[in-house]
Amino acid sequence: MFLLLIFFSCSQKTADKNSDSKTEEITFIGLSEIGGQSGYYRVVKVTKDSIHFETGETLTKKHKEWHSAINPKNWKNITSCFKIKNLDSVESSPSIQPIDGIDESFQIKTNKKSHVYVNAQNDIHYRQFANFKQQILKILPKEYQ
């Protein structure tokens, strides 16, 4: 009986280790640029199967939206912009909205963590965010760029 308990105890730990070894993957990427005197906003939300984009100005009451499915190749191109191991090192900067600037915010969710950055343009790892923005421009229809 004692040996059976040890066997089941060990097999459970092995199963737990196998589930923990799953590699970390990006599941969601969000970008928002919001601020300015006219109330400018631009929001992009990307998941493995879809992309949502909206932009506008609250002052002029302009608003445009676009939704689309996303193919696996585009998802791979988008997520390959980011180095997951560097995401913990990225640092935000203070908000510039109070002085009438536009804040850029990124939200990146993985199957293990969630990361949020505001105005990370001065961080040494920002190039991956700029690359993401370039990949989004390749997907968006011309009238939304």
Side-chain angles (χ1 to χ4, degrees):
M1 177 94 155
F2 180 73
L3 290 175
L4 282 175
L5 286 173
I6 291 174
F7 174 76
F8 284 118
S9 174
C10 290
S11 65
Q12 175 109 17
K13 288 179 184 176
T14 304
D16 289 346
K17 285 180 184 177
N18 289 340
S19 65
D20 287 345
S21 67
K22 183 178 179 186
T23 58
E24 190 169 10
E25 299 174 340
I26 294 175
T27 59
F28 172 85
I29 306 167
L31 164 64
S32 64
E33 297 168 333
I34 300 173
Q37 287 182 340
S38 62
Y40 169 80
Y41 61 93
R42 179 178 172 165
V43 179
V44 179
K45 297 175 185 175
V46 186
T47 63
K48 189 173 189 169
D49 56 4
S50 67
I51 182 168
H52 172 84
F53 176 80
E54 58 185 287
T55 187
E57 289 183 0
T58 55
L59 183 67
T60 59
K61 296 182 181 175
K62 291 182 180 178
H63 178 80
K64 294 195 297 186
E65 261 182 80
W66 177 77
H67 311 274
S68 179
I70 193 166
N71 66 44
K73 180 183 174 192
N74 283 339
W75 174 250
K76 185 177 179 179
N77 289 340
I78 288 170
T79 57
S80 68
C81 294
F82 296 99
K83 294 179 181 145
I84 294 175
K85 65 180 181 172
N86 293 341
L87 293 178
D88 286 334
S89 304
V90 177
E91 293 187 19
S92 296
S93 295
S95 172
I96 56 175
Q97 271 187 342
I99 51 174
D100 209 27
I102 295 174
D103 282 345
E104 178 184 76
S105 301
F106 279 93
Q107 181 181 16
I108 301 171
K109 291 182 183 179
T110 70
N111 55 335
K112 296 184 179 186
K113 276 184 159 179
S114 183
H115 305 270
V116 178
Y117 314 101
V118 178
N119 298 334
Q121 296 93 330
N122 295 328
D123 190 89
I124 60 171
H125 301 291
Y126 184 75
R127 177 173 288 270
Q128 57 192 336
F129 298 99
N131 290 340
F132 165 78
K133 290 167 64 172
Q134 291 300 313
Q135 289 296 322
I136 293 300
L137 289 175
K138 291 178 184 177
I139 297 171
L140 287 176
K142 297 288 183 210
E143 63 267 21
Y144 292 95
Q145 294 182 16

